[in-house]
């Protein structure tokens, strides 16, 4: 079994020590939602090795053996899709201003700033670059629907076109916590796998019923909002489980015990 490793929070971007557990390599694209494997998902890319939401964080995710990456998609003033978590570029680049008020050329004239405030040589990537790189390493994509204009069909159509062109649509899912937006996107693209941020300890039955409306769905919940009993209930319905906020040895051990499909993390590596 391949062992997973845990990053010391005091030593970002350094190599990690061995830890317990296992995380399998990426599942075949078309069958990822039906696989019984547990894979690690890198939150905003492999932040253990490169700044968040950069092309390098996707490359490193591939090299390190992550099965999935979570990304944040937004559109620039000139209608180009990029990766950016915040509404502004201020925190993560040397520039300033809202993404929607800046062109791609303007944004890519800035340099990425890492968590320690160091200016790097990295640039903000386009969505196309990122999806091509993910496909190269057979990495699945978790599209965070809390960023971007997911209620706008033009925005969604553009993302889906990119996902289809780069052959990642059948190896991805969309986290859409707004019910009307989720239902709308499902009506446009029923083949897309959808989810929302559920709470298995409080709302498992209602969440399961909601997810069963869709042709393709996965149950997403914080590791703090699920236990072995509720995990079994979810999996008994045929839904796969995606747990996030797994960033300590304790939560990682808990996650392994409930055998989810995906374990999302900032600091654990395969």
């Amino acid at each position: 079994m391949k062992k997973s490793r845990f990053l010391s929070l005091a030593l970002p971007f350094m190599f990690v020590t061995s830890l317990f557990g296992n995380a399998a390599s990426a599942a075949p694209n078309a069958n990822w939602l039906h696989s019984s494997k547990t894979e690690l998902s890198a939150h905003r890319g492999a932040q253990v090795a490169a700044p968040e939401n950069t092309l390098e964080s996707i490359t490193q995710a591939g090299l390190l053996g992550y099965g999935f990456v979570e990304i944040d998609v937004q559109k620039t003033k000139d209608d180009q899709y990029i990766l950016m978590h915040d509404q502004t570029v201020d925190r993560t680049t040397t520039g300033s201003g809202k993404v929607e008020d800046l062109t791609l050329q303007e944004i890519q004239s800035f340099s990425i700033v890492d968590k320690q405030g160091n200016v790097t040589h990295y640039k903000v990537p386009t969505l196309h670059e990122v999806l091509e790189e993910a496909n190269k390493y057979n990495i699945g994509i978790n599209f965070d629907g809390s960023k971007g204009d997911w209620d706008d069909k033009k925005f969604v159509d553009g993302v889906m076109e990119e996902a289809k062109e780069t052959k990642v649509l059948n190896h991805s899912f969309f986290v859409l916590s707004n019910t009307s937006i989720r239902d709308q996107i499902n009506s446009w693209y029923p083949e897309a796998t959808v989810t929302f941020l559920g709470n298995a300890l409080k709302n498992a039955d209602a969440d399961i019923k909601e997810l069963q409306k869709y042709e393709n769905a996965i149950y997403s919940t914080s590791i703090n909002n699920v236990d072995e009993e509720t995990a079994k209930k979810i999996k008994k319905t045929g839904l796969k489980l995606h747990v996030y906020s797994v960033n300590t040895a304790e939560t990682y051990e808990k996650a392994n015990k409930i055998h989810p499909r995906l374990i999302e993390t900032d600091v654990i590596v395969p």
Side-chain angles (χ1 to χ4, degrees):
M1 288 286 186
K2 185 187 290 184
K3 290 187 176 180
S4 290
R5 295 164 288 178
F6 193 82
L7 182 71
S8 169
L9 296 180
L11 296 172
F13 307 154
M14 298 297 287
F15 202 65
V16 294
T17 56
S18 292
L19 197 70
F20 44 80
N22 70 88
S25 57
N29 289 359
N31 299 316
W32 80 268
L33 193 58
H34 306 291
S35 172
S36 60
K37 295 179 180 179
T38 292
E39 298 182 285
L40 288 181
S41 177
H43 183 230
R44 304 182 200 169
Q47 296 188 59
V48 297
E52 66 177 67
N53 279 322
T54 57
L55 183 60
E56 289 72 19
S57 73
I58 308 303
T59 303
Q60 289 300 316
L63 294 173
L64 289 168
Y66 286 93
F68 268 71
V69 292
E70 182 266 2
I71 61 173
D72 306 289
V73 181
Q74 295 193 57
K75 191 185 277 190
T76 64
K77 183 179 180 179
D78 53 340
D79 292 331
Q80 302 300 306
Y81 293 98
I82 64 165
L83 263 59
M84 182 66 58
H85 178 271
D86 302 353
Q87 288 188 330
T88 72
V89 301
D90 300 35
R91 178 177 63 86
T92 56
T93 79
T94 54
S96 64
K98 290 184 176 182
V99 173
E100 64 183 15
D101 294 334
L102 297 166
T103 65
L104 176 63
Q105 184 176 10
E106 289 171 327
I107 290 174
Q108 292 192 326
S109 71
F110 309 140
S111 295
I112 294 288
V113 176
D114 67 21
K115 286 182 177 179
Q116 290 70 46
N118 301 309
V119 177
T120 72
H121 64 279
Y122 304 135
K123 302 295 182 181
V124 174
T126 64
L127 176 62
H128 189 82
E129 291 172 328
V130 163
L131 298 187
E132 278 196 327
E133 192 73 355
N135 186 54
K136 174 182 173 182
Y137 289 99
N138 198 32
I139 299 172
I141 302 293
N142 168 358
F143 289 91
D144 184 344
S146 66
K147 319 298 184 305
D149 300 319
W150 293 92
D151 58 341
D152 177 61
K153 192 171 189 301
K154 184 179 179 181
F155 178 93
V156 175
D157 286 346
V159 172
M160 294 298 186
E161 184 177 333
E162 293 277 15
K164 287 179 179 178
E165 183 178 340
T166 54
K167 299 179 173 65
V168 301
L169 183 58
N170 67 341
H171 197 190
S172 66
F173 65 101
F174 299 81
V175 182
L176 303 159
S177 289
N178 182 295
T179 304
S180 61
I181 291 176
R182 187 172 61 251
D183 288 348
Q184 183 171 257
I185 290 176
N186 177 251
S187 71
W188 296 334
Y189 296 94
E191 73 276 23
T193 300
V194 297
T195 188
F196 55 90
L197 303 184
N199 187 324
L201 292 180
K202 293 183 178 181
N203 307 310
D205 291 335
D207 290 345
I208 289 167
K209 183 178 180 180
E210 177 67 17
L211 289 168
Q212 287 179 326
K213 298 189 321 187
Y214 308 110
E215 181 179 340
N216 298 301
I218 186 169
Y219 193 115
S220 296
T221 189
S222 166
I223 190 61
N224 301 307
N225 293 329
V226 65
D227 59 18
E228 290 186 61
E229 182 180 350
T230 52
K232 286 179 182 177
K233 176 186 285 190
I234 291 164
K235 289 187 283 186
K236 191 174 181 179
T237 68
L239 289 167
K240 296 298 182 179
L241 184 60
H242 158 234
V243 294
Y244 57 91
S245 297
V246 182
N247 293 316
T248 66
E250 181 182 10
T251 55
Y252 183 62
E253 183 175 21
K254 178 182 177 181
N256 271 310
K257 286 181 178 178
I258 62 176
H259 305 295
R261 180 64 184 84
L262 297 173
I263 297 175
E264 186 175 317
T265 181
D266 294 282
V267 298
I268 300 168
V269 300

